Amino acid sequence: MGLSRWVNLWGIGACVFVVGSANAQVVDVPEPTFRVSFEETALPDYAAGVKEHPSLKTDGLRYLAGKTGKGVLLGACAPLVYQATGNVPAEATITFWVKPLDWQKIAKWRYLLVLSPRGRAIMYLAQYPKKDPVLQFLWTPVYSPGHETTDSPLKVNEWNHVAVAWDAIRSRVYFNGELVLSKQHPSGFQPSIPPRATLQLGGLEAGVSSGGSYQNDPWGQADTALDELTAYPGALDAEQIAQLAGRQEIVRAIAGPPAQPARLQVPKRATPPTLDGHLVEGEW
């Protein structure tokens, strides 16, 4: 697979290359552990762990054109609640496509993604009430208001690729392949996914995300399209996430110069140039 362009930086001994969309280099991405494509159903296409999802309510769900095929419409239906045990590893990456539909500044939180390991621990990605479509993120052992804001907002009325990746040390959030938040876990905390942990779309706060509350409408407006929910083992790196997001260009540095660097071919003159300060025909 050829490279679209080489740039030789001999002065600093480094080489950078740009890979265009026509010949982008494919990077390896691990097989998913969980996937829901929402092709007229909210049931998982694949689940490596728990297969039964007793809190998943699918009656009355609305589907619409998704990023690929169909997607699901959130906001005026009960949260979609999946069992996370075995489906979301302790260190993992969760990705999905989301399209905010003319989001208005409403008085309720829009909880797009909530991971509840039970107890007071929680991970969520949500839109703050009455704010622009930046998102708030938190992954903590004790539910608290210590959420942080993404550097940039979602694009309204467009499909956005969202990825949340975490390991034992920190979490990272990406919008459309770009890092928008990086947050270290609280001291001594390592995420874990115990039995009965749940993964929710259109979820509710940790204090009410159980039992009968799963029947409640999250924020009361059908204004959020979502598609292709997927969980991967381990915290994927920036290059893997950029590939999943369909980025058109990837830029990265390599260790040394190319094996056969491109050279500029300059024709030689038959006679030496004049040195009187004036150019004659053929001199440059």
Side-chain angles (χ1 to χ4, degrees), residues 109 111 120-122 124 137-147 186 206:
W109 284 79
Y111 282 92
R120 298 293 289 170
I122 189 172
Y124 67 71
F137 177 78
L138 184 68
W139 211 160
T140 179
V142 179
Y143 183 72
S144 69
H147 48 75

Side-chain angles (χ1 to χ4, degrees), residues 37-62:
S37 62
F38 299 109
E39 294 301 318
E40 299 288 357
T41 178
L43 295 174
D45 305 307
Y46 174 72
V50 175
K51 304 294 193 295
E52 300 297 325
H53 306 277
S55 297
L56 180 63
K57 308 302 180 185
T58 61
D59 294 342
L61 286 180
R62 293 170 57 188

Side-chain angles (χ1 to χ4, degrees), residues 238-260:
E239 193 173 10
Q240 292 170 314
I241 290 171
Q243 178 168 290
L244 293 174
R247 285 271 300 278
Q248 296 301 305
E249 187 175 86
I250 300 172
V251 181
R252 62 177 181 172
I254 63 173
Q260 294 182 340

Side-chain angles (χ1 to χ4, degrees), residues 45-281:
D45 305 307
Y46 174 72
V50 175
K51 304 294 193 295
E52 300 297 325
H53 306 277
S55 297
L56 180 63
K57 308 302 180 185
T58 61
D59 294 342
L61 286 180
R62 293 170 57 188
Y63 300 93
L64 71 174
K67 176 62 179 179
T68 58
K70 292 290 187 177
V72 68
L73 189 60
L74 300 179
C77 62
L80 301 180
V81 183
Y82 300 95
Q83 298 303 303
T85 306
N87 296 320
V88 180
E91 298 182 16
T93 301
I94 297 176
T95 69
F96 57 92
W97 290 90
V98 63
K99 186 177 184 179
L101 302 173
D102 293 321
W103 269 9
Q104 304 299 312
K105 294 181 179 180
I106 61 176
K108 293 184 178 181
W109 284 79
R110 288 183 175 97
Y111 282 92
L112 300 183
L113 179 70
V114 180
L115 183 59
S116 297
R118 298 294 176 177
R120 298 293 289 170
I122 189 172
M123 183 273 280
Y124 67 71
L125 190 65
Q127 192 251 342
Y128 197 85
K130 299 183 179 180
K131 297 293 184 181
D132 292 327
V134 293
L135 297 185
Q136 308 297 317
F137 177 78
L138 184 68
W139 211 160
T140 179
V142 179
Y143 183 72
S144 69
H147 48 75
E148 295 192 13
T149 306
T150 58
D151 291 339
S152 59
L154 296 172
K155 299 176 182 178
V156 176
N157 297 322
E158 296 183 27
W159 283 105
N160 300 262
H161 185 268
V162 175
V164 180
W166 70 90
D167 54 24
I169 299 173
R170 69 172 52 247
S171 298
R172 295 177 175 86
V173 180
Y174 298 80
F175 290 171
N176 301 310
E178 296 285 349
L179 181 66
V180 294
L181 187 147
S182 179
K183 179 177 175 61
Q184 187 166 333
H185 300 314
S187 177
F189 171 62
Q190 290 190 357
S192 63
I193 310 297
R196 300 181 62 200
T198 60
L199 176 66
Q200 305 164 38
L201 301 176
L204 304 172
E205 295 184 47
V208 295
S209 57
S210 62
S213 66
Y214 286 146
Q215 308 301 318
N216 298 339
D217 294 346
W219 55 87
Q221 297 187 31
D223 60 5
T224 305
L226 193 140
D227 199 6
E228 302 294 339
L229 173 68
T230 311
Y232 297 91
L236 301 186
D237 62 29
E239 193 173 10
Q240 292 170 314
I241 290 171
Q243 178 168 290
L244 293 174
R247 285 271 300 278
Q248 296 301 305
E249 187 175 86
I250 300 172
V251 181
R252 62 177 181 172
I254 63 173
Q260 294 182 340
R263 299 180 183 277
L264 181 64
Q265 299 296 321
V266 180
K268 295 182 178 180
R269 289 176 53 88
T271 58
T274 59
L275 301 177
D276 59 1
H278 299 281
L279 294 178
V280 298
E281 185 177 357

